[in-house]
Amino acid sequence: MSAVGHRFHRLIRRWDVRVAFHVLVLLGLLGSLGVAALSQPYFTRGVEAGEDLQPIPHTDVNPLGVNTLLNEEADPEKVERTLDMIAAGGFTFVRQMFAWYEIEPAKGVYVDPRTGQDTWEKYDRIVNLAHERGLEIIARLDKPPRWAREGQPGVDQVPDGPPNNDADYADFVRTVVSRYRGKVRYIQIWNEPNLYGEWGGQPINPARFTELLKAAYTAAKEANPEVVVLLPGLAPTDQRGPENLNEFLFLQGMYDAGAKDYFDIATAMVYGYGYSPYDRRVEFERNNFSRVIQMREVMVRNGDADKPIWAAEYGWVSLPDDWTGDASVWGRPVSAETQARYLLQGYLRAQREWPWLGAMCVWLFRFPTSPTATPDAGRNPTRGFAIVNYDFSPTPAYTTLAGSRARLDRAYTGAYPASTRLIQHDGGWNLVGEGTSQTLVPAAAGATLRIPFSGPRLDLLLDGSGQGLMVTIDGEPAPGLPTDETGAAIAVPDADGRVTVADGLDDGPHVAEIRALAGEGGSVALAGFVVVRQPWQSWAYPWIYGTFAVMVVLTLASLVWNWRFRPALPPSPTGGGANGHVPRRLTAADLRARSRARRSTVRRR
């Protein structure tokens, strides 16, 4: 053994060194536990597996949506061309402003006083062209006319603000909903009322806005009980008033004022601010893709977990490296290729982790004005959000998203009722019952339906008694089910009616095909299904904590064992020997003298 080895061997045999080593190990383990505990919220906050969720309405939609400014497009052919590209790109939702001041220039008047033209004409064109292409308009109803705010201070400086009489706005909402009943299903009440510039330069007041919301919601539902009312998009900000107010504080203020029963969908402005969509930091002051989690938390705290959130605006700004225009206020600009990648990754993360998030409308599809129209037009960094250029040439973002609908428009993490659009069948199944009690019942044996989904686990919710359902996943017998004599996988309900038909699949996409073995009266019914995705965080952190706990226990046990064999302590200075003499403490010189004496004795022997 080398000299170093001898020294190490002698060192580890020392009791004090062993104890110090154990203490250091314990401190390291406890520190690691602390790091794990601090990091867990970063990886797990907002992530839901879907296993214990109830269906959330308006989340089984195609998530692909866009914002348009078609009311500013003077050329009808370009309006049609824009909507053609939106439909061809696989988008479903089109969030489009319906400017109150433009439609109703005077109370009850819908004629442009300058031209004598019907103010509805261009909006009718937009609605009809969108409807013909199967697109869903989200009508953003804001931008008040001057007459509705007459007498308020600062109207010329800040034209957008609350009306003097909420009934005037309610009448406008009622008129829009009535006119487009059957063609426009979604309306959005106002826009960014938590900002100074959208609230007439007045102190931000969520209770006052809630009064306006209640009037508008009531009028909309009177005109069409089926219309879906969205909250305004609340601008992300960390300010606390009075000019601008943080969106979560504003939303809480709305709940405090009784807004809960006056909207169907909450909305958020979801921007990346230059960060990856997988930036999981969630902080009051931080603007990033994960910020929307805090809005969900406000809703849950107020008993509104059964309502969805939609992204009214969603995007990353992309500017060229040689950009010389105005600076971006939306974080660090990204390249066109990165913008495309981030947009798709954001959709995928939301589908996999946030079953409460529905449509996400990219800001913006295309600017209808030329970058050379005015000296300032080309300097506007907002143009960097557009996914189609002014000349209608597609950016990488449009190309990427245009090929993604088949991947995105399917069931991801979450629970889905029998009435969901994601259950596809040829008419051989009948939807019976009402509300949450609806089930799909096969009309005859052999009736088939399909469920496109993405995720590792699929559970079916079955109801009633009778013969089971034959299930295949991607054309093969469902791996989680027993098989009959022919090798077919058959799903039959257990005590709670929930049956796992597949588990441990890759992320997909997958297609489940379900075939009835008997007709109505002889078959179980399908009450819905659940896609479960247990994220790695759900098992990794319990495993980490368990491993550290075992190591701490073992280290403590070893420390106790070593403590039992500690060296005897020297006599107490106050104790002394039989004659009361207190032994003198040995010095280094004494020890060396003893060592020389031992060596001399050995030589004499």
Side-chain angles (χ1 to χ4, degrees):
M1 185 180 295
S2 68
V4 174
H6 278 293
R7 285 196 295 270
F8 178 73
H9 183 69
R10 288 197 302 270
L11 183 64
I12 64 173
R13 287 173 63 94
R14 288 177 53 181
W15 175 84
D16 57 337
V17 172
R18 294 198 304 272
V19 170
F21 176 76
H22 281 80
V23 171
L24 288 175
V25 170
L26 277 174
L27 291 175
L29 289 172
L30 293 174
S32 298
L33 275 171
V35 170
L38 290 174
S39 68
Q40 184 174 6
Y42 174 83
F43 290 107
T44 61
R45 190 171 177 181
V47 179
E48 301 202 35
E51 187 168 13
D52 300 321
L53 289 179
Q54 296 299 314
I56 300 176
H58 310 298
T59 55
D60 61 345
V61 297
N62 174 20
L64 290 165
V66 292
N67 281 267
T68 57
L69 298 173
L70 295 176
N71 57 309
E72 298 178 13
E73 179 58 77
D75 187 345
E77 291 185 1
K78 289 183 178 179
V79 172
E80 189 165 356
R81 186 177 180 183
T82 298
L83 293 171
D84 282 340
M85 285 192 74
I86 292 172
F91 299 92
T92 291
F93 295 96
V94 179
R95 181 172 176 257
Q96 167 63 49
M97 180 194 300
F98 284 62
W100 183 14
Y101 77 89
E102 196 171 51
I103 294 173
E104 192 178 15
K107 178 66 176 177
V109 175
Y110 305 100
V111 176
D112 189 325
R114 298 167 300 175
T115 65
Q117 189 175 10
D118 184 351
T119 55
W120 292 109
E121 182 178 338
K122 68 177 178 181
Y123 291 99
D124 289 348
R125 181 187 306 115
I126 293 168
V127 169
N128 291 332
L129 289 174
H131 187 68
E132 290 169 5
R133 288 155 177 77
L135 300 174
E136 293 275 10
I137 292 283
I138 302 172
R140 171 185 147 184
L141 307 180
D142 63 332
K143 300 296 180 184
R146 176 68 176 262
W147 61 264
R149 299 188 59 214
E150 197 66 45
Q152 293 185 22
V155 173
D156 293 331
Q157 293 76 22
V158 188
D160 298 330
N164 294 326
N165 186 353
D166 291 350
D168 289 334
Y169 179 65
D171 289 342
F172 170 67
V173 171
R174 181 184 293 105
T175 301
V176 172
V177 172
S178 297
R179 185 179 187 88
Y180 296 123
R181 183 168 183 166
K183 293 183 178 180
V184 174
R185 184 185 177 199
Y186 302 92
I187 64 167
Q188 186 170 35
I189 304 302
W190 218 257
N191 186 62
E192 297 181 336
N194 63 321
L195 292 186
Y196 175 92
E198 300 281 355
W199 200 242
Q202 305 171 26
I204 302 303
N205 189 335
R208 170 68 185 90
F209 172 75
T210 300
E211 295 175 3
L212 183 65
L213 172 68
K214 290 179 178 179
Y217 179 91
T218 302
K221 294 293 185 176
E222 288 173 353
N224 178 9
E226 301 302 317
V227 73
V228 179
V229 178
L230 283 70
L231 282 185
L234 299 178
T237 175
D238 62 358
Q239 297 183 42
R240 298 175 179 268
E243 291 189 349
N244 300 312
L245 181 62
N246 167 266
E247 69 269 37
F248 314 127
L249 299 179
F250 189 93
L251 181 60
Q252 183 59 57
M254 290 178 59
Y255 276 116
D256 293 343
K260 181 178 178 180
D261 295 330
Y262 293 92
F263 68 95
D264 302 309
I265 299 174
T267 63
M269 304 301 201
V270 182
Y271 287 101
Y273 286 87
Y275 299 109
S276 160
Y278 290 104
D279 176 7
R280 297 181 177 275
R281 292 172 292 180
V282 180
E283 302 165 5
F284 185 88
E285 298 84 5
R286 182 170 298 280
N287 287 322
N288 62 2
F289 182 74
S290 297
R291 187 176 179 87
V292 67
I293 291 172
Q294 297 176 81
M295 176 167 282
R296 170 67 177 174
E297 291 171 346
V298 173
M299 296 176 68
V300 172
R301 286 197 298 270
N302 286 275
D304 235 0
D306 59 345
K307 282 183 188 172
I309 298 174
W310 283 14
E313 296 175 11
Y314 166 57
W316 280 261
V317 66
S318 173
L319 298 172
D321 293 338
D322 59 352
W323 174 256
T324 59
D326 297 339
S328 165
V329 297
W330 302 280
R332 176 179 53 85
V334 299
S335 69
E337 292 73 21
T338 299
Q339 181 190 51
R341 184 173 71 255
Y342 280 0
L343 284 169
L344 179 56
Q345 288 176 346
Y347 276 115
L348 287 170
R349 182 186 171 194
Q351 293 284 78
R352 291 167 177 160
E353 298 184 6
W354 302 337
W356 37 266
L357 191 64
M360 300 168 65
C361 297
V362 174
W363 180 270
L364 177 74
F365 189 75
R366 172 183 172 271
F367 270 87
T369 55
S370 168
T372 60
T374 65
D376 293 334
R379 298 182 53 83
N380 184 359
T382 309
R383 304 186 75 91
F385 283 105
I387 62 173
V388 170
N389 295 313
Y390 175 71
D391 62 2
F392 286 94
S393 60
T395 70
Y398 175 84
T399 303
T400 297
L401 295 179
S404 67
R405 178 166 183 174
R407 185 178 181 185
L408 294 173
D409 189 13
R410 55 184 52 242
Y412 277 79
T413 309
Y416 300 85
S419 58
T420 177
R421 59 177 282 276
L422 293 172
I423 296 178
Q424 306 165 356
H425 61 86
D426 55 5
W429 295 72
N430 299 317
L431 189 64
V432 300
E434 295 182 359
T436 58
S437 300
Q438 288 184 313
T439 60
L440 279 168
V441 179
T448 302
L449 58 79
R450 301 170 72 252
I451 301 174
F453 72 100
S454 281
R457 174 176 152 189
L458 177 66
D459 293 0
L460 296 184
L461 306 178
L462 304 180
D463 184 67
S465 59
Q467 293 197 46
L469 304 173
M470 185 170 68
V471 184
T472 63
I473 304 293
D474 301 330
E476 300 293 332
L481 296 175
T483 57
D484 63 11
E485 62 278 3
T486 68
I490 309 299
V492 293
D494 56 13
D496 64 355
R498 184 165 177 165
V499 180
T500 297
V501 300
D503 197 2
L505 302 173
D506 59 35
D507 193 58
H510 303 289
V511 175
E513 187 170 282
I514 301 172
R515 178 169 298 183
L517 300 178
E520 186 173 0
S523 172
V524 297
L526 181 65
F529 66 93
V530 183
V531 178
V532 180
R533 182 189 307 274
Q534 291 289 352
W536 66 267
Q537 300 95 324
S538 65
W539 59 262
Y541 276 95
W543 185 88
I544 290 171
Y545 293 140
T547 300
F548 279 132
V550 170
M551 294 175 68
V552 167
V553 170
L554 292 176
T555 304
L556 283 172
S558 179
L559 179 59
V560 170
W561 179 264
N562 277 273
W563 189 267
R564 291 178 59 193
F565 296 100
R566 65 190 182 279
L569 295 174
S572 171
T574 60
N579 59 1
H581 174 70
V582 179
R584 181 173 59 86
R585 178 176 293 178
L586 295 177
T587 66
D590 294 330
L591 293 174
R592 288 195 295 271
R594 284 190 177 188
S595 179
R596 287 195 298 271
R598 283 196 297 270
R599 289 198 297 271
S600 176
T601 301
V602 170
R603 285 197 296 271
R604 287 198 297 271
R605 288 180 182 176

